[in-house]
């Protein structure tokens, strides 16, 4: 499914409305809403509007936060996805549900195992088997989360929910959701704000990581 918006403002507003709708639905039906955040500049635009216009509309005390992937850095590092979301969104909310950050300061494989265990315990506690909403981004090379083209990490660790990359990408080792965990989410919103990224999604000649995620809703501008 593709939702085409008319400009950047409409793009952000539509995305925030979708988060609102799914938050309300899940909180009403089961008392909580699991929201998986991604890093990058585009999600930050959403964080700013969520604070300015949706702070009172969403019952944030029942929203549990997770991260799609993380660079292996400390939580106060300038490249930390957690730091970005915490400073722009979470710290500005009066109260939230539980916040599950990836421990990027640990040895990567250990951090991946620990995060996978946190997810399993969360699912068991909530009596669920998937996340409610994942905010997906994609790179100009077609990568999603920290699953990069020609990297074999996701396939080698295909039975794991979370894996650590075996090599650095753009200067960092990373911890990432695997395909199976992303695929299982109830709702996946892919943010596409450039023509170049739309062309990647249309390209059937090359299998990019992002194109291996099915049942996703594409929000484009």
């Amino acid at each position: 499914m593709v939702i085409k918006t008319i400009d950047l403002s409409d793009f952000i507003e539509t995305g925030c409305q979708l988060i609102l709708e799914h938050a309300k639905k899940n909180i009403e039906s089961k008392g909580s809403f699991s929201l998986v955040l991604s890093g990058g500049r585009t999600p930050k635009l959403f964080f700013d509007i969520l604070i300015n216009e949706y702070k009172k509309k969403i019952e944030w005390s029942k929203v549990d936060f997770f991260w799609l992937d993380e660079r292996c850095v400390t939580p106060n590092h300038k490249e930390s996805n957690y730091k970005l979301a915490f400073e722009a969104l979470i710290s500005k909310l009066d109260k939230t549900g539980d916040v599950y950050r990836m421990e990027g300061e640990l040895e990567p494989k250990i951090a991946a195992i620990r995060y996978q265990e946190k997810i399993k315990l969360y699912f068991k506690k909530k009596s669920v088997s998937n996340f409610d909403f994942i905010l997906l981004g994609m790179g100009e090379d077609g990568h999603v989360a920290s699953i990069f083209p020609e990297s074999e990490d996701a396939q080698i660790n295909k039975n794991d929910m979370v894996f650590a990359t075996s090599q650095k990408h753009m200067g960092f080792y990373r911890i990432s959701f695997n395909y199976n965990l992303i695929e299982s989410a109830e709702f996946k919103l892919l943010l596409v704000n450039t023509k170049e990224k739309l062309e990647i999604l249309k390209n059937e000649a090359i299998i990019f990581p992002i194109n291996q995620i099915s049942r996703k809703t594409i929000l484009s501008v």
Side-chain angles (χ1 to χ4, degrees), residues 1-215:
M1 177 181 177
V2 179
I3 301 174
K4 180 70 176 175
T5 58
I6 58 176
D7 55 25
L8 185 60
S9 178
D10 185 35
F11 174 76
I12 298 169
E13 182 64 28
T14 301
C16 290
Q17 277 293 323
L18 285 167
I19 293 172
L20 172 63
E21 290 169 14
H22 284 263
K24 282 186 172 181
K25 180 185 75 173
N26 283 281
I27 290 170
E28 287 174 3
S29 65
K30 55 188 177 65
S32 64
F33 175 58
S34 54
L35 177 60
V36 181
L37 304 176
S38 62
R41 294 184 298 273
T42 305
K44 185 178 183 300
L45 299 174
F46 286 79
F47 300 160
D48 293 340
I49 299 301
L50 286 171
I51 287 298
N52 292 331
E53 299 180 19
Y54 289 79
K55 192 172 182 179
K56 301 298 182 183
K57 294 178 181 179
I58 294 174
E59 201 170 356
W60 292 104
S61 63
K62 295 181 179 178
V63 178
D64 298 319
F65 291 95
F66 291 82
W67 275 262
L68 184 66
D69 68 331
E70 181 61 278
R71 297 173 183 87
C72 290
V73 296
T74 60
N76 61 350
H77 192 283
K78 64 179 182 178
E79 296 292 341
S80 167
N81 289 338
Y82 166 79
K83 176 182 170 66
L84 172 66
F86 182 80
E87 292 183 348
L89 177 63
I90 296 170
S91 66
K92 296 180 180 180
L93 298 169
D94 298 328
K95 187 178 181 181
T96 69
D98 293 325
V99 176
Y100 297 87
R101 76 171 181 89
M102 289 178 164
E103 298 170 283
E105 69 273 23
L106 301 180
E107 194 278 325
K109 289 185 178 179
I110 292 174
I113 291 169
R114 283 172 62 93
Y115 207 64
Q116 178 163 290
E117 290 305 311
K118 287 181 183 180
I119 291 169
K120 287 180 178 179
L121 287 172
Y122 180 82
F123 286 171
K124 184 177 181 180
K125 180 176 71 173
K126 297 289 184 178
S127 298
V128 298
S129 57
N130 54 17
F131 288 112
D132 298 321
F133 195 109
I134 296 184
L135 199 61
L136 291 173
M138 65 175 288
E140 299 289 351
D141 60 355
H143 83 262
V144 61
S146 285
I147 306 174
F148 291 86
E150 300 181 7
S151 170
E152 297 181 352
D153 292 317
Q155 294 301 329
I156 290 172
N157 301 282
K158 64 182 179 181
N159 294 321
D160 293 330
M161 293 178 173
V162 182
F163 70 93
T165 61
S166 59
Q167 58 185 331
K168 291 183 179 181
H169 293 276
M170 303 175 195
F172 301 95
Y173 289 105
R174 296 165 183 247
I175 310 152
S176 176
F177 276 24
N178 212 339
Y179 285 120
N180 55 349
L181 187 56
I182 299 172
E183 191 66 39
S184 70
E186 178 186 332
F187 189 84
K188 302 179 284 287
L189 183 64
L190 174 60
L191 308 176
V192 181
N193 61 344
T194 68
K195 291 180 179 178
E196 290 77 13
K197 290 180 181 180
L198 274 176
E199 288 305 312
I200 285 175
L201 292 172
K202 295 175 184 177
N203 190 334
E204 297 181 356
I206 304 173
I207 301 177
F208 295 98
I210 188 60
N211 289 330
Q212 296 192 52
I213 305 297
S214 64
R215 299 183 299 103

